[in-house]
């Protein structure tokens, strides 16, 4: 009987060796916390996302301080207005909830982390789509770009350091980048949701933003069957001047994430979406999986596939665990 000559298990024999041989690590600064901010004085729990809430501005202030203390790299803000209309007027109102919350959090936290904002109309329209509707009911791409230009200026003026373009309109990066530059906001960064798929995993998010959507977004979000199209969208956004490109969702599109990371000369992020969060929380609540290990493994796999940073609802909790491990 011949004994093995090559023994890879040698590097797995102790925790110290495993740490030393680890190829990928997650750092708190690589995590971004998505936050929902609603109008009103009270925060509200989101039933489909245990542990996640719609914040009031005051509770958002406390949450952003907690995130900074944990070492999280940034927060991504989503607004939840009380009143909506066909063109999403609240998105460009300086006193709209998202712009008010942005100012409040920037004032609260300064440069301790990056305050980022979602630039999309779906939270502000009464029809729930990410753009302006034409007379026949389809989303009018170019009319939507005009609204995105106005949103970019409103969010930049409110102090957002990074605008998350999540609407999947053709030409949105060029439109927003050009408007920012022409109006003195050359230093405001643009995150392009480049490969954003029409996914079933967004379900809990609809509750989180009190979505009014009827129908679907398949005419502008990507077909889950298409890998090359996701890579093409990322290249287009890079060519239009994006500072960062993103793949969303993360867990079920790791192949797309890996390909985008391989071709990109700018940072690549990924969004671990509400459905991914909800599935792990639900399985853990039933005792079917080890919650902490599942959370850690899920985020590590996204980093391993090529993400330079990960948007995740576990950002603060995971960052706290990481700091404890290194203490």
């Amino acid at each position: 009987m011949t004994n093995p000559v090559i023994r890879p298990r040698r590097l797995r024999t102790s925790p110290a060796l495993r740490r030393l041989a680890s190829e990928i690590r997650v750092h708190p600064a690589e995590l971004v916390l998505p936050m929902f901010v609603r109008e009103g004085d009270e925060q509200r729990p989101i039933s489909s996302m245990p542990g996640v809430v719609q914040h009031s501005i005051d509770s958002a202030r406390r949450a952003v301080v907690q995130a900074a203390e944990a070492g999280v790299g940034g927060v991504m803000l989503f607004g939840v207005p009380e009143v909506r209309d066909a063109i999403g007027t609240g998105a460009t109102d300086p006193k709209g909830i998202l712009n008010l919350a942005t100012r409040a959090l920037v004032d609260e936290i300064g440069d301790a982390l990056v305050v980022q904002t979602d630039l999309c109309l779906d939270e502000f329209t009464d029809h729930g789509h990410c753009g302006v509707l034409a007379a026949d009911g389809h989303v009018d791409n170019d009319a939507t770009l005009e609204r995105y230009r106005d949103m970019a200026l409103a969010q930049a003026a409110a102090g957002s350091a990074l605008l998350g373009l999540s609407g999947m309109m053709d030409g949105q990066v060029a439109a927003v980048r050009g408007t920012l530059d022409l109006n003195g906001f050359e230093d405001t960064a643009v995150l392009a949701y480049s490969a954003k798929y029409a996914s079933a995993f967004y379900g809990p998010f609809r509750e989180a933003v009190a979505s009014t959507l009827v129908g679907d977004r398949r005419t502008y979000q990507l077909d889950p069957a298409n890998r090359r199209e996701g890579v093409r969208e990322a290249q287009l956004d890079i060519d239009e001047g994006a500072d960062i490109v993103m793949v969303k969702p993360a867990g079920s599109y790791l192949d797309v994430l890996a390909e985008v990371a391989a071709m990109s000369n700018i940072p690549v992020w990924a969004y671990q979406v509400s459905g991914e969060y909800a599935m792990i929380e639900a399985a853990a609540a039933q005792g079917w999986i080890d919650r902490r290990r599942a959370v850690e493994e899920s985020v590590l796999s996204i980093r391993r596939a090529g993400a330079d940073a990960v948007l995740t609802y576990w950002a603060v909790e995971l960052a706290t665990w990481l700091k404890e491990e290194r203490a």
Side-chain angles (χ1 to χ4, degrees):
M1 182 175 179
T2 303
N3 291 328
V5 176
I6 307 299
R7 295 182 182 267
R9 286 182 56 189
R10 292 189 188 106
L11 297 182
R12 305 171 198 153
T13 54
S14 71
L17 268 172
R18 292 194 293 273
R19 284 195 302 271
L20 190 61
S22 180
E23 298 176 30
I24 300 293
R25 291 178 174 84
V26 179
H27 189 279
E30 299 162 348
L31 304 175
V32 176
L33 175 68
M35 293 176 58
F36 307 100
V37 187
R38 62 179 296 272
E39 294 186 68
D41 297 329
E42 296 181 0
Q43 66 179 34
R44 292 180 182 172
I46 300 167
S47 64
S48 56
M49 300 176 68
V52 181
V53 301
Q54 291 178 343
H55 284 282
S56 67
I57 288 181
D58 284 344
S59 71
R61 285 180 180 272
R62 295 190 292 272
V64 78
V65 170
Q66 183 184 27
E69 290 174 346
V72 166
V75 294
M76 175 65 77
L77 304 183
F78 297 86
V80 186
E82 289 185 355
V83 177
R84 308 174 190 215
D85 60 25
I87 63 169
T89 302
T92 49
D93 183 351
K95 296 183 180 180
I97 183 58
L98 181 55
N99 296 322
L100 285 177
T102 302
R103 288 190 184 88
L105 267 58
V106 170
D107 289 344
E108 183 71 35
I109 209 63
D111 291 330
L113 51 67
V114 180
V115 176
Q116 311 162 34
T117 46
D118 178 61
L119 197 157
C120 192
L121 286 172
D122 62 314
E123 300 126 66
F124 299 94
T125 55
D126 54 13
H127 47 73
H129 276 288
C130 298
V132 177
L133 298 187
D136 64 0
H138 82 276
V139 175
D140 186 325
N141 191 94
D142 295 357
T144 299
L145 295 184
E146 293 303 314
R147 295 293 294 135
Y148 286 3
R149 290 184 176 99
D150 291 343
M151 285 184 72
L153 295 180
Q155 292 183 4
S160 178
L162 185 150
L163 311 183
L165 278 60
S166 63
M168 288 300 290
M169 296 296 119
D170 294 341
Q172 63 183 14
V173 171
V176 167
R177 182 73 270 158
T179 296
L180 291 171
D181 291 352
L182 284 173
N183 287 275
F185 294 109
E186 297 91 346
D187 292 335
T188 302
V190 169
L191 161 66
Y193 285 54
S194 300
K196 182 178 180 181
Y197 285 83
S199 172
F201 291 104
Y202 301 147
F205 182 90
R206 305 282 167 83
E207 179 192 353
V209 297
S211 175
T212 56
L213 179 69
V214 175
D216 59 51
R217 299 184 173 126
R218 293 178 186 273
T219 63
Y220 44 103
Q221 294 178 355
L222 297 179
D223 185 335
N226 294 355
R227 184 187 74 251
R228 290 193 302 271
E229 188 178 17
V231 179
R232 181 190 184 211
E233 288 275 9
Q235 185 62 65
L236 287 170
D237 287 342
I238 292 170
D239 293 343
E240 290 182 16
D243 299 289
I244 304 166
V245 292
M246 188 153 72
V247 175
K248 179 182 180 181
S252 48
Y253 295 89
L254 295 179
D255 58 331
V256 179
L257 174 58
E259 289 204 35
V260 171
M263 58 74 83
S264 178
N265 60 0
I266 65 173
V268 177
W269 292 5
Y271 197 143
Q272 186 178 46
V273 301
S274 59
E276 298 175 78
Y277 175 91
M279 287 192 301
I280 288 178
E281 289 290 346
Q286 293 294 323
W288 295 334
I289 58 174
D290 182 313
R291 180 178 180 273
R292 176 166 174 170
R293 287 187 62 194
V295 170
E296 291 174 334
E297 183 178 338
S298 68
V299 176
L300 180 65
S301 70
I302 298 165
R303 283 278 292 112
R304 189 187 65 242
D308 298 297
V310 181
L311 278 72
T312 175
Y313 300 98
W314 288 299
V316 173
E317 187 173 17
L318 179 53
T320 302
W321 294 340
L322 292 168
K323 289 179 71 174
E324 289 171 352
E325 290 174 356
R326 292 167 183 163

